[in-house]
Amino acid sequence: MRPLDAAEIQQDLLMRNTILLLDTTNVALRFVIQLVLADKFPVLLPTELWLDIIEQYHKASAPKYEAVRPTSIAASPTGQILHCRMVKLNLGVFESEHAVLAAEQFLDCSHAYDRISTNRCAAEDTDTVYAIEYPRNATTTGVSSTSTALRVPACLFIDTTVPDVIARLDDGRCWVCEGERDICPGCTRGVANEFDAFMGCGVDLACPLCMGLDFMQEDKAFLQKYYRDGPPAKEEEARKAQISARLAELGYDQQRASDDDSDGGLE
């Protein structure tokens, strides 16, 4: 997933009924920063102090995500406002690669959702509505302590995938790997076949469901290439770095790469 850009707030977004993820911990912070940038906040503080306050806020506040769908766009004096309604997602059981692709098609364009599997995806409206303002000249990237100016933090995200849903909405619960983030692709009693993840035993392959199908395929190609003799140390370290980066991207606690050179997996 990635932050929703202001240029993407158009009628097409509403017509597609795209499911977005909303970081609710950033909604209030975003409002305060917008007031500060507009010189409307009642307390005047140096930018450096604001940056420190924001940094401490992020350290103390774990992100909390909700699924929302955009419902309307309104003009504001400083930009535009996107109204979003919180929804309860039901993406069915991710029993196969086809089910994952169907769910991701629904997330991208639920209006034209084509049921290509036994899944029956749905998004039930709730009574909770958010109004997210996008100022004309604000940068919707994360706040960094090294920034020379305040930035409006991103809180709406698009291009949501099934791994994003598992990590951010389902507390990381994954039925394929049971939270390990990797599998032995030859010991799953047929489960690996459903995700085109089957190969020999004795290796730890990135989980196709919670780590992502594309990421798993790249990891599978690497493990197959060095299946008999093992990879060179430099390439194995690069693989561990890629796995750590993927875990961080999905918001998981960093897992220590295994020192066992026989499988090069995680422990």
Side-chain angles (χ1 to χ4, degrees), residues 25-241:
T25 57
N26 266 350
V27 173
L29 177 62
R30 183 184 177 92
F31 177 70
V32 170
I33 293 177
Q34 287 171 341
L35 289 178
V36 173
L37 292 173
D39 293 327
K40 294 181 179 179
F41 197 77
V43 180
L44 297 178
L45 296 174
T47 299
E48 293 76 12
L49 184 54
W50 275 116
L51 289 171
D52 186 55
I53 292 171
I54 294 166
E55 184 177 8
Q56 295 304 317
Y57 174 86
H58 279 297
K59 287 181 178 179
S61 305
K64 177 176 173 54
Y65 292 89
E66 299 286 357
V68 299
R69 66 176 184 86
T71 57
S72 64
I73 303 169
S76 74
T78 58
Q80 55 186 344
I81 297 174
L82 181 64
H83 294 97
C84 296
R85 183 174 294 277
M86 192 171 76
V87 298
K88 294 181 180 179
L89 275 184
N90 180 4
L91 300 180
V93 179
F94 306 124
E95 78 276 9
S96 66
E97 179 178 2
H98 291 297
V100 170
L101 295 176
E104 291 181 345
Q105 184 183 33
F106 176 83
L107 293 168
D108 177 61
C109 184
S110 61
H111 177 71
Y113 173 54
D114 178 21
R115 292 171 172 80
I116 60 175
S117 79
T118 57
N119 269 25
R120 291 297 180 264
C121 299
E124 179 184 349
D125 285 349
T126 70
D127 295 331
T128 304
V129 177
Y130 293 90
I132 309 299
E133 183 173 11
Y134 276 74
R136 293 187 185 90
N137 299 318
T139 303
T140 56
T141 58
V143 176
S144 169
S145 60
T146 60
S147 299
T148 57
L150 287 174
R151 296 182 180 182
V152 178
C155 66
L156 277 174
F157 298 86
I158 196 170
D159 291 347
T160 306
T161 65
V162 165
D164 293 321
V165 170
I166 292 173
R168 271 103 184 182
L169 300 182
D170 295 341
D171 296 324
R173 294 187 295 271
C174 175
W175 74 270
V176 173
C177 69
E178 298 183 340
E180 294 297 322
R181 312 304 167 214
D182 57 40
I183 62 172
C184 176
C187 303
T188 63
R189 297 182 179 180
V191 172
N193 288 328
E194 298 297 330
F195 297 90
D196 191 23
F198 180 78
M199 60 172 288
C201 294
V203 294
D204 291 331
L205 174 67
C207 178
L209 184 55
C210 64
M211 294 289 276
L213 294 170
D214 291 341
F215 189 85
M216 177 276 295
Q217 287 295 346
E218 292 179 7
D219 197 40
K220 179 181 173 183
F222 177 93
L223 294 174
Q224 287 178 324
K225 180 179 179 180
Y226 297 110
Y227 187 70
R228 294 187 179 277
D229 301 321
K234 188 174 182 179
E235 294 199 31
E236 177 57 22
E237 287 302 315
R239 173 180 177 257
K240 290 179 180 180

